Amino acid sequence: GRKVLIVYAHQEPKSLNGSLKRVAVEELSKQGCSVTVSDLYAMQFEPRATRNDIVGCLHNSEEFNYGVETWEAYKRGGLSNDLIEEQKKVQEADLLIFQFPLYWFSMPAIMKGWMDRVLVQGFAHEFPNCYDSGLLKNKLALFSFTTGGSEEMYAKGGISGDIRYLLWPMQHGIMHFCGVKVLAPHICFAPEYVSEEKRKEMLVAWAQRLKTLWKEEPINCSPEWYFK
């Protein structure tokens, strides 16, 4: 069976994000997938990239360079346990689902911290092995998130600009950079401002999409997809 890692960032299990995560676990498990969830708030995941991420001596104790130190630590198996644990989950997964509410045009800090700390050089990328030759190629990713603003606000002519512009740093700058192929995002617009009925429809639509998810083609990972 296929393996799925859901990286989930919401403080409240009863939220729509919590329900979307639950639906994904149920639906994918029904398909025979083995599903792992990294519930970042429940884990009290540390979002800050610090010296604590390296166990033992530093490569250069004179001047701390996080990128260099984590790369060296990764090579010698000297990263902190929480990072080794998350990297193992990523390594085993065929599909990564990121479930979160959009904060300030981006992912919540705790999830960005997961990206900063887990996807280190040597593990996820190693120049020139990036983008199509990134070290996590053969994996898929899907960003599933809720917004505060309506769909109209995030349209091309809308006040917030095309939602695809916001996806460029997340999908292209992080996932595609690491070689991951990206499925079209799943966006629930303004759930706080719609009826209970509409929110239920959002969950049904997500469950429906998950039924045929493995047949989907990844998006065209080029600037045109985002900015055309």
Side-chain angles (χ1 to χ4, degrees), residues 33-91:
C33 300
S34 114
V35 185
T36 304
V37 177
S38 283
D39 182 341
L40 301 181
Y41 285 106
M43 291 156 67
Q44 299 193 319
F45 186 81
E46 168 60 83
R48 294 170 300 179
T50 68
R51 159 77 179 86
N52 297 338
D53 294 348
I54 294 102
V55 176
C57 297
L58 290 176
H59 178 67
N60 176 359
S61 53
E62 297 301 301
E63 192 178 327
F64 185 72
N65 178 320
Y66 186 82
V68 170
E69 293 298 342
T70 48
W71 184 22
E72 292 297 333
Y74 175 74
K75 288 191 281 194
R76 62 176 167 80
L79 287 172
S80 59
N81 283 338
D82 59 338
L83 295 193
I84 290 171
E85 201 51 45
E86 293 306 298
Q87 287 176 345
K88 203 181 296 171
K89 294 177 194 173
V90 171
Q91 198 70 68

Side-chain angles (χ1 to χ4, degrees), residues 111-158:
M111 184 175 277
K112 178 59 165 58
W114 185 94
M115 304 280 184
D116 292 348
R117 296 181 62 227
V118 175
L119 303 176
V120 301
Q121 187 168 354
F123 169 68
H125 58 91
E126 194 162 1
F127 196 79
N129 295 321
C130 50
Y131 290 116
D132 289 342
S133 58
L135 302 181
L136 300 181
K137 56 183 182 288
N138 306 329
K139 295 188 187 299
L140 289 169
L142 193 167
F143 285 80
S144 170
F145 60 96
T146 58
T147 68
S150 65
E151 192 162 0
E152 293 71 41
M153 289 171 78
Y154 287 107
K156 204 157 216 156

